[in-house]
């Protein structure tokens, strides 16, 4: 029996961002843009470069490839997201339990080893993808406080929605991702900002959907990233 389901504001914030950062790790690697950069032509990976490095921090293909993997100063890098996921998970050790935490620990260790060797082949990092999926499975089984699990899952689905919009996925995929956010939010009254939810409801409809319209796309991203009250 769960003795206490009350979650402090600090822990709610950590749960939300743990969900976001771990999903960012998975999606970034799952896109497999690194294989395209190594084996493909410039036009194969240029869309990834534009979206992940809009400020033009990296000047060459090698700089971008290594930077997106291991640059701790880049919040979009795999290393940065995995480290931040780990930092939040440590604060939640009692909630998520040690076995769940261990998948993140193994990922950080592997990323550090690959960083030292400057390994960029995504297949070498396949275990990080596998451990990310194992982390979510373990969390679902071992997080006995369902409120905590829902907050983390909302973070996960917000990140998924954000990335799908950035990479201009279809209306069907984005509508489904938005519905997943709302599914978990129904279990936690007051977690979403009502005004912003109404704005998104009016924008994520087939009649208005147009991610080639930069103003529309940026508005969606702004609302998505202000939707959750944590």
């Amino acid at each position: 029996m769960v003795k206490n389901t009350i979650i402090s504001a600090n822990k709610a914030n950590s749960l939300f961002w743990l969900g976001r950062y771990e999903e960012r790790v998975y999606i970034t690697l799952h896109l497999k843009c690194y294989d395209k950069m190594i084996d493909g032509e410039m036009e194969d990976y240029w869309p990834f470069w534009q979206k992940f490095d809009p400020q033009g921090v990296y000047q060459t293909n090698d700089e971008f490839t290594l930077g997106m993997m291991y640059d701790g100063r880049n919040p979009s890098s795999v290393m940065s997201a995995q480290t931040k996921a780990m930092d939040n998970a440590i604060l939640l050790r009692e909630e998520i339990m040690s076995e769940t935490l261990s998948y993140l620990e193994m990922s950080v260790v592997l990323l550090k080893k690959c960083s030292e060797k400057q390994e960029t082949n995504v297949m070498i990092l396949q275990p990080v993808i596998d451990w990310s999926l194992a982390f979510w499975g373990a969390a679902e089984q071992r997080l006995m406080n369902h409120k905590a699990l829902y907050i983390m899952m909302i973070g996960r689905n917000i990140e998924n929605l954000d990335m799908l919009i950035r990479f201009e996925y279809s209306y069907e995929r984005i509508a489904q991702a938005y519905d997943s956010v709302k599914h978990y939010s129904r279990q936690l009254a007051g977690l979403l900002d009502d005004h912003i939810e109404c704005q998104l409801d009016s924008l994520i409809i087939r009649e208005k959907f147009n991610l080639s319209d930069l103003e529309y796309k940026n508005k969606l991203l702004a609302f998505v990233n202000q939707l959750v009250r944590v």
Side-chain angles (χ1 to χ4, degrees), residues 210-229:
N210 181 13
L211 291 180
S212 62
D213 181 339
L214 191 58
E215 182 179 354
Y216 171 84
K217 180 180 178 180
N218 287 339
K219 188 178 292 186
L220 274 187
L221 288 169
F223 285 142
V224 165
N225 285 287
Q226 297 172 49
L227 179 61
V228 181
R229 295 171 169 171

Side-chain angles (χ1 to χ4, degrees), residues 50-100:
Q50 287 179 307
K51 291 178 174 63
F52 279 122
D53 183 29
Q55 304 303 317
V57 174
Y58 306 114
Q59 303 302 310
T60 68
N61 179 24
D62 287 342
E63 283 183 11
F64 174 66
T65 305
L66 289 170
M68 281 307 306
M69 284 285 196
Y70 308 121
D71 187 352
R73 299 165 300 177
N74 180 353
S76 296
S77 75
V78 174
M79 177 70 84
S80 179
Q82 190 67 83
T83 301
K84 288 176 180 176
M86 179 70 178
D87 290 344
N88 282 286
I90 289 172
L91 299 175
L92 299 162
R93 182 187 294 270
E94 292 183 3
E95 282 75 17
I96 68 173
M97 303 181 69
S98 295
E99 182 176 325
T100 310

Side-chain angles (χ1 to χ4, degrees), residues 15-67:
L15 286 161
F16 175 76
W17 283 103
L18 170 55
R20 287 204 67 160
Y21 285 128
E22 190 55 31
E23 185 68 359
R24 190 176 302 173
V25 169
Y26 173 77
I27 293 178
T28 304
L29 288 175
H30 185 66
L31 286 170
K32 297 187 183 296
C33 58
Y34 305 107
D35 279 349
K36 292 184 179 181
M37 284 187 285
I38 294 165
D39 301 323
E41 298 297 327
M42 179 73 170
E43 56 268 20
D44 292 331
Y45 64 84
W46 181 243
F48 294 99
W49 193 331
Q50 287 179 307
K51 291 178 174 63
F52 279 122
D53 183 29
Q55 304 303 317
V57 174
Y58 306 114
Q59 303 302 310
T60 68
N61 179 24
D62 287 342
E63 283 183 11
F64 174 66
T65 305
L66 289 170

